[in-house]
Amino acid sequence: MKKIHAYENEKITLTDPYYINATEKVVANVLSLDPEKFLAGFYENAAYACGEEITLKKLRYGGWENTLIGGHTFGHYLTALAQSIVNPVVSDEKKAECKKRLDFVISELEKCQKKTVGTKYEGYLFSAILPDESFKNKIDLQFDNVEKRQGDIFKQAWVPWYTMHKILQGLLDVYTFTGDTRALTLSENLGKWISRRVNAWDNKTRANVFSIEYGGMNDVLYQLYAVSKCDAREDFLKAAHQFDEDALFLKVQKNTPNAMNNTHANTTIPKFIGAMKRYEATGDEDYLNYAKAFWTMVTKKHTYVTGGNSENEHFGMDNVLAAERTNINNETCNTYNMLKLSRGLFEITGEKKYADYYENTYLNAILASQNPETGCTMYFQPMATGYQKVYTRVDKDFWCCTGTGWENFTKLQDSIYYRSEEGGKETVIVNNYVSSVLDAGFAKVKVDCNFLKSETVKIKIEGDNSFCLKLRVPEWTDETLVKTSADCEKTDGFLCFKNKADIEVTFPMEMKALGLQDDENTKAFKYGPYVLSARLGTENQETGSVGMWVTTASKKAVENDDVKITNGQTVEEFMKNLNQNFDISEENEIPVWTLKGCDRKLEFIPHYLQHKESYGIYWRWN
């Protein structure tokens, strides 16, 4: 089904110091967590499944982990440990720690699952709290309540299928990355429990389940179907399809106006990842078309300059973005999932637009979501001007974006290099420009790149250089001005070099202004691949809380984001002459762009390097 395949993470070594630090910090955070506190809920559920008494050695973590959604970050924890084990940046000592941690966790989950054998819960693994006797008497009561459309998140059900998705995905990732067949067996047994339940749904029950967030259950069950060889494999396929929301898929494919208005974004994106996975599993092109239509709708009608989307976790009306700039835009989980979708669509289609989106979002939303001093990450990324970034606390804030943050920064080498077969010979594709080394087996490809210091990418090939090396021409450069040190073919936005050992390519960069659909005078700036944000100091910073205990920035550093042009130019003229309307300097090796000809002195830096100060990405020009 796939035209192109990403190289495995273990074959890619990052050499950029910023990325190495980002990886090391998050691995240290993950290893600082106590697995027994995550396992406490699994122990408790397993004991009640078989009628045992239990005395826990350690209590579960607090926050979301001590609620009816308990267990969701544990799934991400499994994935982060597995990704760390195969990450060349991680030291041998830390890899050994991660492996020891995973071995322990998997063996304990085996014990928990074994206790369900011969009971009505056979195969069941779950760790959410059991708030009263009714839950202790029926440990899967959350799932019953969802089927009855009962959704009191403290007393009835939060999002059990969302949590189940994370647990099953984490187990599958352990198998995928490390080859641990115990994790696959755990996945298959859990998949059997899931299949017995969901394959018995009638239409009303299924509709009730669809009314509450269920994560990427279709996605993960299609993955299980693809790797399993057990006798329940076809049941997994049927169960996956039970989570395919065809009415929504068709609505999006028809490009229905405001099709996603007021839909929960992180509920919706995984559904279409699942549609893409159904195409991979069955070859049904309708589902590929659903995923492609959704990607286009999100990126064209609902996406900010960073590549992020949503306000207060929800999509709004089509092309309404300026009006929805607040302190709670761009949930990072949405970005994580949009990158999964984009990577998959690029592998299937080979279309450059998916890779362009990936680069922009990876750099300006994902890399921008971490504090490099602590390794902690963000939930929301405000698009309203004047707020600061707010980060998780390692052992306190077990939000959804905490877990995806662990994943994001244990796989920073992901999706840099791809391979395809053309004319019987392997083609290596450089898709994302990060200093790194690919060990392709027959050759090593070394990329040296830092666009903050130079427009030139240097590539050195060691070994067999007879293959075709394809370089993506970024959407932010002028293809007609690209300079290469050697002859190459240009095809569909890629440069193809053959029989070369050393290559240099220069991608010219310039300042660009990008407006929003509902207010063209609300502009953001990009320099080459970098979204810029103005530094607004550390005064007037406060935090508050929204939703379920999510900490957010709550006080603006500025009264407004209006900028008046004072040099006699119109807005249109000013934006056409951007490169002349900034002075460029350097501070601690970071470039600083200072705005000229306006009534505000604004200093911009790359947004991913903006960590402590309040910031402004968007400004309204007049």
Side-chain angles (χ1 to χ4, degrees):
M1 299 289 181
K2 295 180 179 180
K3 292 182 178 179
I4 295 167
H5 297 267
Y7 277 101
E8 295 81 0
N9 286 2
E10 59 263 36
K11 295 182 178 180
I12 304 166
T13 304
L14 296 169
T15 57
D16 185 300
Y18 192 93
Y19 291 72
I20 293 171
N21 173 73
T23 302
E24 291 175 341
K25 286 290 194 298
V26 79
V27 171
N29 286 348
V30 170
L31 285 172
S32 74
L33 296 167
D34 187 337
E36 288 192 86
K37 291 186 177 182
F38 281 125
L39 287 167
F42 290 97
Y43 294 148
E44 185 179 30
N45 275 261
Y48 280 105
C50 63
E52 286 185 358
E53 293 293 327
I54 182 170
T55 301
L56 293 173
K57 295 178 184 178
K58 295 181 181 179
L59 297 178
R60 65 173 71 232
Y61 277 113
W64 285 18
E65 278 298 308
N66 193 30
T67 68
L68 288 171
I69 202 177
H72 74 115
T73 48
F74 174 75
H76 296 294
Y77 173 77
L78 291 176
T79 301
L81 287 172
Q83 289 179 164
S84 298
I85 289 171
V86 299
N87 190 329
V89 163
V90 179
S91 69
D92 289 342
E93 179 186 2
K94 294 296 184 185
K95 285 181 180 179
E97 287 185 50
C98 290
K99 188 176 188 308
K100 182 179 179 181
R101 193 72 54 88
L102 262 185
D103 283 342
F104 170 72
V105 168
I106 295 300
S107 66
E108 292 301 290
L109 290 176
E110 283 186 310
K111 295 175 186 176
C112 291
Q113 197 173 66
K114 188 175 181 180
K115 289 184 178 183
T116 69
V117 174
T119 74
K120 61 183 177 180
Y121 307 110
E122 186 160 330
Y124 187 68
L125 285 172
F126 213 60
S127 68
I129 64 167
L130 303 170
D132 57 39
E133 288 302 315
S134 61
F135 282 82
K136 293 173 183 178
N137 292 330
K138 195 173 192 310
I139 58 173
D140 58 354
L141 184 58
Q142 268 208 77
F143 295 90
D144 292 351
N145 290 341
V146 165
E147 291 174 3
K148 299 171 186 174
R149 214 174 187 131
Q150 295 176 350
D152 183 320
I153 66 173
F154 296 104
K155 298 178 181 179
Q156 296 170 332
W158 193 341
V159 283
W161 285 116
Y162 174 92
T163 303
M164 183 62 78
H165 166 228
K166 305 310 171 193
I167 294 169
L168 183 54
Q169 184 68 65
L171 290 169
L172 277 180
D173 286 340
V174 172
Y175 171 67
T176 300
F177 287 111
T178 72
D180 190 333
T181 56
R182 296 175 301 163
L184 177 59
T185 300
L186 286 166
S187 301
E188 290 171 333
N189 291 338
L190 182 53
K192 290 175 185 178
W193 178 88
I194 293 167
S195 298
R196 288 196 300 271
R197 174 177 281 270
V198 306
N199 289 340
W201 286 342
D202 58 24
N203 289 336
K204 181 180 178 181
T205 302
R206 191 163 173 254
N208 286 343
V209 172
F210 284 177
S211 70
I212 296 176
E213 185 173 8
Y214 56 81
M217 282 303 305
N218 52 353
D219 170 16
V220 73
L221 286 167
Y222 284 125
Q223 291 178 55
L224 181 58
Y225 167 76
V227 299
S228 175
K229 293 181 173 60
C230 78
D231 56 3
R233 184 169 178 260
E234 293 302 319
D235 294 331
F236 302 153
L237 180 65
K238 182 179 178 182
H241 195 39
Q242 287 285 74
F243 288 99
D244 285 329
E245 203 163 334
D246 287 355
L248 173 66
F249 296 166
L250 288 166
K251 186 178 180 181
V252 168
Q253 187 189 35
K254 292 176 182 177
N255 199 25
T256 305
N258 301 312
M260 294 190 295
N261 186 36
N262 204 34
T263 60
H264 189 267
N266 199 45
T267 301
T268 307
I269 301 168
K271 297 176 183 179
F272 286 87
I273 299 174
M276 177 180 67
K277 291 295 183 182
R278 180 167 180 80
Y279 163 74
E280 292 182 5
T282 69
D284 189 333
E285 292 199 3
D286 285 343
Y287 287 83
L288 173 60
N289 291 332
Y290 298 150
K292 291 163 67 174
F294 175 77
W295 185 91
T296 299
M297 183 175 284
V298 173
T299 58
K300 299 300 182 185
K301 299 180 179 180
H302 298 277
T303 296
Y304 290 97
V305 67
T306 59
N309 60 64
S310 77
E311 195 277 330
N312 195 16
E313 303 188 351
H314 287 70
F315 290 121
M317 296 179 69
D318 293 347
N319 302 314
V320 176
L321 291 157
E324 292 195 343
R325 289 191 298 124
T326 68
N327 62 329
I328 48 176
N329 294 118
N330 293 16
E331 182 185 357
T332 308
C333 283
N334 299 351
T335 309
Y336 157 92
N337 278 314
M338 282 300 295
L339 289 186
K340 275 191 172 183
L341 180 62
S342 300
R343 169 185 162 123
L345 290 174
F346 177 72
E347 288 184 307
I348 292 167
T349 69
E351 292 183 47
K352 177 176 167 290
K353 63 183 180 181
Y354 301 116
D356 286 331
Y357 172 84
Y358 197 104
E359 177 196 44
N360 178 68
T361 308
Y362 169 92
L363 175 60
N364 297 304
I366 296 299
L367 206 63
S369 71
Q370 189 199 50
N371 182 338
E373 295 178 2
T374 66
C376 294
T377 54
M378 302 171 66
Y379 194 115
F380 292 115
Q381 300 192 33
M383 291 295 101
T385 299
Y387 294 106
Q388 78 275 16
K389 294 180 177 180
V390 176
Y391 302 100
T392 61
R393 296 168 296 175
V394 176
D395 61 350
K396 300 287 192 302
D397 300 315
F398 293 98
W399 305 325
C400 51
C401 296
T402 304
T404 52
W406 298 337
E407 288 195 39
N408 289 332
F409 288 91
T410 51
K411 62 169 184 178
L412 285 175
Q413 76 275 42
D414 185 66
S415 303
I416 296 175
Y417 300 95
Y418 291 79
R419 64 179 181 271
S420 65
E421 295 290 333
E422 296 182 12
K425 188 74 174 179
E426 187 159 314
T427 292
V428 177
I429 303 168
V430 180
N431 229 17
N432 204 357
Y433 295 102
V434 180
S435 290
S436 54
V437 179
L438 166 68
D439 186 348
F442 53 87
K444 285 188 176 181
V445 179
K446 298 182 177 181
V447 172
D448 183 9
C449 170
N450 184 341
F451 287 129
L452 290 179
K453 297 183 181 299
S454 172
E455 297 177 332
T456 299
V457 178
K458 297 179 180 179
I459 298 177
K460 184 177 183 65
I461 299 171
E462 297 178 355
D464 179 2
N465 66 347
S466 64
F467 64 94
C468 174
L469 179 71
K470 292 178 74 171
L471 307 183
R472 179 181 58 87
V473 178
E475 53 83 26
W476 45 261
T477 196
D478 184 340
E479 187 171 352
T480 64
L481 300 178
V482 172
K483 296 179 181 178
T484 64
S485 63
D487 293 336
C488 63
E489 297 178 7
K490 297 181 180 181
T491 307
D492 298 326
F494 290 86
L495 309 176
C496 183
F497 297 85
K498 294 181 179 178
N499 304 310
K500 300 292 187 296
D502 296 285
I503 300 166
E504 291 189 5
V505 180
T506 300
F507 297 116
M509 297 190 290
E510 62 179 358
M511 187 75 73
K512 293 182 181 179
L514 301 168
L516 290 171
Q517 294 93 318
D518 52 333
D519 187 352
E520 267 298 318
N521 283 346
T522 295
K523 303 281 189 184
F525 297 127
K526 280 188 74 176
Y527 181 73
Y530 303 103
V531 171
L532 306 183
S533 62
R535 302 187 297 190
L536 301 177
T538 56
E539 297 180 1
N540 298 319
Q541 291 184 345
E542 293 181 2
T543 59
S545 182
V546 299
M548 280 296 292
W549 316 318
V550 177
T551 308
T552 60
S554 62
K555 187 175 182 179
K556 279 191 173 187
V558 292
E559 291 185 4
N560 60 62
D561 53 16
D562 293 332
V563 181
K564 184 177 180 180
I565 298 169
T566 58
N567 64 5
Q569 294 180 334
T570 65
V571 173
E572 184 179 5
E573 290 168 340
F574 190 91
M575 298 305 161
K576 283 184 177 179
N577 296 293
L578 273 182
N579 293 295
Q580 287 77 47
N581 288 324
F582 283 93
D583 285 331
I584 303 176
S585 58
E586 190 174 282
E587 186 177 306
N588 298 323
E589 298 188 352
I590 297 174
V592 179
W593 289 265
T594 303
L595 195 62
K596 300 185 296 184
C598 301
D599 66 344
R600 305 180 85 136
K601 182 181 178 181
L602 297 174
E603 295 179 342
F604 291 82
I605 65 171
H607 182 60
Y608 84 92
L609 296 173
Q610 187 86 259
H611 305 303
K612 296 180 180 179
E613 296 193 35
S614 301
Y615 64 85
I617 291 177
Y618 284 101
W619 297 86
R620 195 170 192 284
W621 295 80
N622 54 67

